[in-house]
Every structure is written in C-alpha cells, then in structure tokens.
C-alpha cells in the first residue's frame, strides 16, 4: 500500500456515520482515547484493526486507505464517462464505468487522464465496411509501445491488448463508437474522436 489510513479520514467517516469516538472504540475493543489519538495524528490504528475499522465505518479497507468512500452514483452513467486505470508495475489495465478504487501490485491507481492524440500518438481510423481499422504509427519495442487500443460508445467498450514487437493496430465494430483510445506505456493515455461513416465528425 502506498498510503495508510489518516486521522482526518477516520474522523470524517466516523462523523458521517454519526458514531461517537466511544461508540467506534467499543466496536473495535479499544479505548475512546485510542480513537482520539488516531484522529489527532498522535498514533495509527494497528494493521490488525484495519478490517474491523473499515467494517465499522461501512467501507472497504481499500477505500479506507485511499481516503475516499466511493458512493456509486453512476448507475445511469454511460460508458463514455468511464475511466481507464493502468498498473505501472505489471501493465494490467482496467476500465470502470464509474468511479472506483482500483488497486494493483499494492498501488492504488489513479484514473488515467486522456490527452488529445497527436504527434507520434496520432490515432488513425479507417472505415472498412462495418469496422474501424485503427492504427497508431508508434514504436512497439519492449521499452516503448502502445499497450492497448480501445473504442468506447455509450454502451460498450471494445478493448484490444497489444504486445511489444506486435503492431499497433486493432479492428473495432463501428457501432456507436464515440471515442478511440491508445495507451502508451511511456506517455500515457491518448484519445481521438473517430470520423463517422460518410465523413461526418461527432
Ligand atoms: Fe509513446
């Protein structure tokens, strides 16, 4: 883990759950003074208390450690507002429809901020019948490569994992695709809007 629970987080969550320091302490079989010390930064809860503490505060241990309690407000959200998370250690990639706490290889991953694709990360999309043939003219060495391409519509995510020494290309069903993404292991996430069949832009 790259962070540990802070006193401010414990206090905020405890107050949000309308628990007194004593009530929280009783649930954890510690003293009220111990909780007070955590909340004022004079001590940390022992690691064996993280699970019961998270349970008492009605969140997951991951959320507790990240300092955010994620409330799923995304039930009606569409895929285009989704986020990509990429692990810098193992290269794992995750797409989430809404906000999420995503952890991989012991690291809590921030959502990738996509830049507009240009230069060596320009995403080209050719229309072939009912598909986009997507290419990026980019190195594909072990050290520097495009590790995935994705096409996102309001309802679907099409995702193609790429590998070094392969080619930076993928085919996606055109169906309602509104955004194309390319992830470079050195430079991060890039996005482009595809041209609609018939040459119209969105
Ligand atoms: Fe790059």
């Amino acid at each position: 883990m790259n962070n540990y629970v802070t006193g401010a987080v414990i206090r905020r969550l405890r107050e949000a759950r309308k628990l007194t320091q004593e009530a929280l302490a009783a649930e954890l079989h510690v003293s009220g003074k111990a909780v007070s010390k955590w909340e004022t930064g004079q001590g940390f809860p022992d690691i064996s208390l993280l699970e019961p503490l998270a349970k008492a505060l009605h969140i997951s241990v991951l959320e507790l450690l990240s300092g955010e309690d994620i409330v799923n407000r995304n039930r009606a959200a569409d895929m285009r507002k989704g986020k990509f998370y990429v692990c810098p250690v193992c290269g794992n990639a995750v797409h989430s429809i809404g906000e999420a706490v995503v952890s991989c290889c012991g690291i809590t991953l921030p959502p990738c901020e996509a830049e507009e694709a240009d230069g060596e990360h320009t995403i080209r999309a050719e229309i072939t019948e009912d598909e986009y043939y997507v290419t990026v003219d980019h190195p594909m060495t072990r050290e520097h490569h495009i590790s995935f391409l994705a096409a996102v519509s309001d309802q679907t995510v099409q995702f193609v994992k790429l590998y070094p020494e392969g080619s930076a290309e993928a085919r996606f069903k055109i169906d309602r695709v509104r955004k194309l993404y390319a992830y470079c292991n050195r430079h991060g996430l890039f996005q482009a809007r595809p041209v609609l069949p018939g040459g119209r832009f969105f």
Side-chain angles (χ1 to χ4, degrees), residues 120-121 138 144 184 187:
E120 74 170 352
H121 300 98
H138 185 278
H144 185 198
C184 165
H187 299 106

Side-chain angles (χ1 to χ4, degrees), residues 149-180:
L149 290 169
V152 176
S153 78
D154 53 346
Q155 293 178 324
T156 62
V157 177
Q158 302 174 68
F159 190 97
V160 173
K161 177 84 183 98
L162 303 176
Y163 296 94
E165 315 307 336
S167 37
E169 60 177 20
R171 291 179 186 277
F172 298 112
K173 289 253 170 285
I174 286 177
D175 190 33
R176 301 163 73 102
V177 165
R178 295 295 188 271
K179 248 180 207 173
L180 298 168

